[in-house]
Amino acid sequence: MTQINKWLRRLELFVGCLLVSLCLGCASPEDRVERPILGDEDPREVEVQKAFSIAQSAIDKTGLGIDLSELGDLGNLETILVSPKDLENIPEPAIQDAIGAMYLVLDASGVEIPIMTDVAITASPFQVGSNSILSKTDQILMHINLAHFYLSDALRKLQTEKGDLFEIDFIDGQYDFHLSESAKKQFDNLEPEEYLLQFSIKQRQVIIDAVTLLTSARIRVIEQPGTKDVYGKLIQNQATLIDRRISRQDALYHLDQGLKMAKQLAPDLATSIQNLNENVADIFTNKLLDEVSKWGFSIGNRDEVEARIRQLVSQ
C-alpha cells in the first residue's frame, strides 16, 4: 500500500519485530510478514486508501489511537490503556465514529466482520481475512485497536454519568468498577431489591450500554410497575441503545480475534495480548458483571458470557 496511517505504520513495525522475537529484534526483509502490493490500479487499493483517510481523521479526533512512541515496553500492550478521567472530555460520538471508520477499512480490504445479534452468544468464530489486502499483521493491529476503542467507549460512558454512586479506579494499569464509599454505606441500609432504585435513568442506561460494548450480554432493566427510583422516575424497561450498524461487535470479540491470529504468528505477541485479555476480560469485565447483577440488572445470557470469557483467557 503506497500510503498508510501513521499509527498503523508504527504499529506494523512494532508487531513486525515482535513476530520474530522480542529479544532478537526485527527479522531480515525476506522473513517479515508484508502486506501484498497490489498496485494503485487495483480498485480495492483505492477504496482502502479512502477508508484509511477517513479512519485516520476519526481516530485523531479521539486522541486514542495506539502509538508506538507510547509503548515503552514492546511486550506490554496494557500500556495502551487510558485512565477513565482522560476519557471524559472526548465528544460522545467521536469514539463511535472511529469504530465505524475502522470497520470501513476492514470492509474495503476484504475482512468481513459479522454483526452481533441478540441470539445466544457462543465462542466467537475465527475470522481471518485471507482475501484481504491487509497483511495478517495489520489485521491483528486493527482488532487490538478496535478492542481498545470499545473498552474506551464503555469506560467513557460510565465515567461521565457515575455521579456520586459508582467509581472506576485505574491503578497500576488495572480498572476496578465499584460503588463509591458513600454509596456503600447507603446500600448497607437497603434491601437488595432497593439497589436498582438508587440509579438514575441515565446511570442505568450507561451501565447497560457499557456492558453491551464489552460483552454483548443481553443486559436490561425489567419494568417494575408503579415503582419509582430515588429521582421520582418510574422503573421501566431499558435495553441497550448501542447502534449495531456501527458497533457491530464488542471488545471480547476483537480481543479473541487478535489473540488467535497472533498465536499463528508469534508467541511473544500472543502472550502480550493474553495479558491484556486477562486484565480487561477476566478481571475488569467479570467484576463489572458481578456488580451490576447484584444491583438488579438482568443479564439473560450471563452463563454464556462467562463461558466466552473463560475460553478467551484460557487459550
Side-chain angles (χ1 to χ4, degrees), residues 261-277:
M261 292 192 73
K263 288 181 72 174
Q264 291 184 345
L265 299 175
D268 289 321
L269 178 58
T271 298
S272 183
I273 297 176
Q274 184 73 344
N275 291 336
L276 184 64
N277 290 350

Side-chain angles (χ1 to χ4, degrees), residues 87-102:
L87 298 170
E88 288 187 52
N89 295 326
I90 297 178
E92 184 172 1
I95 299 179
Q96 287 277 296
D97 288 347
I99 289 173
M102 282 187 277

Side-chain angles (χ1 to χ4, degrees), residues 55 59 87 120 123 138 162 189 251 265 311:
I59 288 169
L87 298 170
D138 286 340
K162 63 185 179 61
N189 298 317
L265 299 175
Q311 183 179 40

Side-chain angles (χ1 to χ4, degrees), residues 265-292:
L265 299 175
D268 289 321
L269 178 58
T271 298
S272 183
I273 297 176
Q274 184 73 344
N275 291 336
L276 184 64
N277 290 350
E278 292 176 359
N279 183 334
V280 173
D282 191 32
I283 300 175
F284 171 67
T285 303
N286 262 332
K287 173 74 176 295
L288 176 63
L289 293 172
D290 284 341
E291 292 292 289
V292 300

Side-chain angles (χ1 to χ4, degrees), residues 284-304:
F284 171 67
T285 303
N286 262 332
K287 173 74 176 295
L288 176 63
L289 293 172
D290 284 341
E291 292 292 289
V292 300
S293 296
K294 183 172 63 178
W295 298 338
F297 291 82
S298 172
I299 302 178
N301 53 351
R302 174 76 185 272
D303 290 344
E304 292 162 342

Side-chain angles (χ1 to χ4, degrees), residues 23 30 41-42 61 152 162 164 179 181 194 204 212 229 233 257 259 265 274 291:
C23 297
E30 62 270 17
E41 70 280 1
D42 192 298
K61 290 177 182 178
S152 297
K162 63 185 179 61
D164 297 325
L179 290 174
E181 288 301 319
E194 296 178 292
R204 297 195 295 269
T212 301
D229 61 28
K233 302 296 183 180
Q257 296 299 307
L259 176 61
L265 299 175
Q274 184 73 344
E291 292 292 289

